[in-house]
Amino acid sequence: MTPAAAEASTESTPASPESPRRTGSTFAALRVRNFRIYATGQAFANTGVWVQNIALDWLTLELTGSPAAVGIAMALQFLPILLFGMHGGMIADRYPKRTILLVTQLCSASVATTLAVLTISGHITVGAIYAMALVGGFVVALDNPTRQSFVGEVVPAQYVRNAIALNAAVFQTTRLVGPAVSSILIGTVGSGWAFAVNALLYVGPTITLASMRTAELHRTTPLPREKGQLRSALRYVRDRPHVGWTIALVGVFGTFGLNFPVVLTAMASETFHAGAGMYGTFNIVIAVGSIAGALIAGGRSHSRLRLILLLGAAFGAAQTLAAFAPNLETFTVVLVLMGVTNLAFQAIANSSVQLWVDPEFRGRVMGLYVLVFMGGTPIGGPIIGWITEHVGVRAGMAVCGIVPLVAAVALAGVLAAQPALARRRQGAAVLAG
């Protein structure tokens, strides 16, 4: 398919006879019982993730006094995804996704428990944080592509786009609660108890996954063991330029655009001379905008590649503006805009890729998606951390905005130029003939 054809195409699946024909409602996927149960479990899990992330970022900064150290912790957390992201997607294509997720919940709870015990007992070190970040990264390398593709089994095909957006809205709603809870715990009883709360909250998704009606899941045929399955997925993406371009932009976005733990901890402590409470507030403010962005995405029944490019550019521009905000009030307002464009971009790019690919390839393609989206952090995190520490906080945040902005504009230029280039080649061929 040519880029022009991809631009004109939308992925739509006719409603089944037993389903309402109108699927563009913002909350359409909530009609499905299994999705309601699944989303409830994700609310518990994601709240715990935000509680732990805020505590881990701040604890690393407290132990080291270095934004670069926060970047290293991020890099170690995402390094396994860079190395094994597509293998996680292949496992998701081969085995029951619900069973895989039950296992990963247990593993994540074990990591959180270990961090809690080490911190509460006073034995936590930056080396232990790095080790647990790496172990947690291996869990995420399997969990994330499985979770991404599992949404397509929880709801009928016509609800997939809406379910992905609502799942993102749930994630961002918990971002309103998690940072606030974490900030309170850090300020009163310490970071260790934040890790303990996260471990406890993993009970929620374990129960909800176990209580789903398996007969109502829209399972894909398991992938048989064969050689060359990862290469075939790469060829599949190569032959679909709209999928490949979207994944490429997502990679730039994840590598350079989303280093919030590095730049926001530094903005809170160095630029605005505040503590963990301010960092938690920044995350809450971004979440407010992100919920709006996810709901906007959820109300769309289709999307085009040009919309993905526009949202990516808008996010880059917003983060660049935030980097040079003259005061806290302006910075806070621009953070809301960052949240809106961030989640609208993520939700629409994610759902579009899932709907553009055939179900039997979805796990491996989403493994590639997760690889470039999260696996770039081991590269971007330390780079942004070094810039933030040695050049300045605002410079680090500006790079986080400028790189995605330039990438989106450049890709839009490439795609706009291709039809004209094709016409010139066709004309040259006619003359040569």
Side-chain angles (χ1 to χ4, degrees):
M1 180 182 293
T2 66
E7 179 69 14
S9 71
T10 60
E11 186 72 20
S12 60
T13 304
S16 60
E18 68 273 15
S19 302
R21 293 186 62 84
R22 173 168 162 62
T23 62
S25 168
T26 301
F27 302 99
L30 292 177
R31 299 167 184 161
V32 181
R33 176 187 178 275
N34 271 349
F35 181 74
R36 293 196 300 271
I37 293 173
Y38 178 71
T40 301
Q42 292 309 293
F44 284 99
N46 292 332
T47 298
V49 167
W50 283 116
V51 169
Q52 176 160 309
N53 284 351
I54 299 298
L56 193 64
D57 296 340
W58 200 257
L59 180 61
T60 304
L61 191 64
E62 280 187 328
L63 290 176
T64 64
S66 169
V70 180
I72 292 171
M74 287 178 59
L76 290 171
Q77 184 177 354
F78 294 113
L79 180 61
I81 298 172
L82 179 63
L83 299 176
F84 303 109
M86 286 200 68
H87 291 82
M90 184 171 63
I91 292 172
D93 278 339
R94 285 181 178 174
Y95 300 102
K97 297 176 179 62
R98 175 173 161 272
T99 303
I100 295 173
L101 292 176
L102 284 168
V103 173
T104 58
Q105 303 314 292
L106 177 61
C107 293
S108 295
S110 299
V111 171
T113 301
T114 302
L115 282 168
V117 171
L118 289 174
T119 306
I120 293 171
S121 66
H123 292 92
I124 192 67
T125 64
V126 68
I129 290 176
Y130 289 165
M132 288 297 98
L134 186 62
V135 172
F138 280 104
V139 178
V140 173
L142 176 58
D143 178 271
N144 207 289
T146 305
R147 188 177 305 281
Q148 300 274 2
S149 55
F150 183 58
V151 175
E153 295 190 358
V154 176
V155 298
Q158 68 267 24
Y159 290 142
V160 168
R161 186 185 303 279
N162 182 252
I164 291 170
L166 289 180
N167 209 32
V170 169
F171 181 74
Q172 295 304 322
T173 301
T174 62
R175 193 173 187 171
L176 294 172
V177 179
V181 172
S182 189
S183 298
I184 292 171
L185 291 171
I186 293 170
T188 55
V189 293
S191 299
W193 292 101
F195 302 139
V197 166
N198 181 37
L200 181 63
L201 286 172
Y202 273 110
V203 174
T206 303
I207 292 174
T208 54
L209 282 167
S211 63
M212 295 176 73
R213 292 175 181 169
T214 56
E216 296 178 9
L217 293 175
H218 302 265
R219 292 174 173 169
T220 56
T221 303
L223 183 72
R225 282 181 168 271
E226 294 177 0
K227 291 183 178 180
Q229 290 174 331
L230 295 181
R231 290 193 298 273
S232 67
L234 292 174
R235 288 194 297 269
Y236 182 89
V237 171
R238 181 197 63 192
D239 294 339
R240 289 155 180 81
H242 54 306
V243 176
W245 285 123
T246 301
I247 290 177
L249 184 59
V250 162
V252 174
F253 195 93
T255 301
F256 293 100
L258 300 181
N259 290 286
F260 294 159
V262 177
V263 295
L264 293 185
T265 52
M267 288 293 284
S269 62
E270 297 180 20
T271 303
F272 299 113
H273 310 291
M278 180 64 74
Y279 175 48
T281 301
F282 288 164
N283 279 275
I284 292 171
V285 170
I286 289 179
V288 171
S290 297
I291 293 169
L295 293 178
I296 290 170
R300 297 188 64 85
S301 59
H302 64 276
S303 64
R304 295 171 181 260
L305 184 54
R306 70 177 64 167
L307 176 61
I308 295 172
L309 295 175
L310 177 62
L311 289 169
F315 170 78
Q319 186 157 198
T320 304
L321 288 174
F324 298 107
N327 52 54
L328 180 59
E329 291 74 17
T330 305
F331 183 76
T332 303
V333 171
V334 180
L335 284 184
V336 176
L337 182 58
M338 282 174 55
V340 173
T341 52
N342 171 26
L343 246 293
F345 171 86
Q346 288 192 47
I348 292 176
N350 185 307
S351 60
S352 296
V353 169
Q354 292 211 46
L355 290 169
W356 285 338
V357 303
D358 297 321
E360 61 267 27
F361 283 92
R362 190 170 289 156
R364 283 166 289 168
V365 171
M366 292 313 296
L368 176 62
Y369 184 102
V370 171
L371 186 155
V372 301
F373 181 54
M374 302 175 71
T377 302
I379 301 170
I383 291 173
I384 300 303
W386 186 92
I387 294 172
T388 300
E389 186 167 337
H390 293 91
V391 182
V393 180
R394 293 184 183 275
M397 193 168 191
V399 171
C400 291
I402 291 171
V403 173
L405 173 60
V406 171
V409 172
L411 180 54
V414 169
L415 295 179
Q418 284 193 352
L421 181 61
R423 286 194 297 270
R424 284 198 297 270
R425 286 176 176 172
Q426 185 178 15
V430 170
L431 292 174

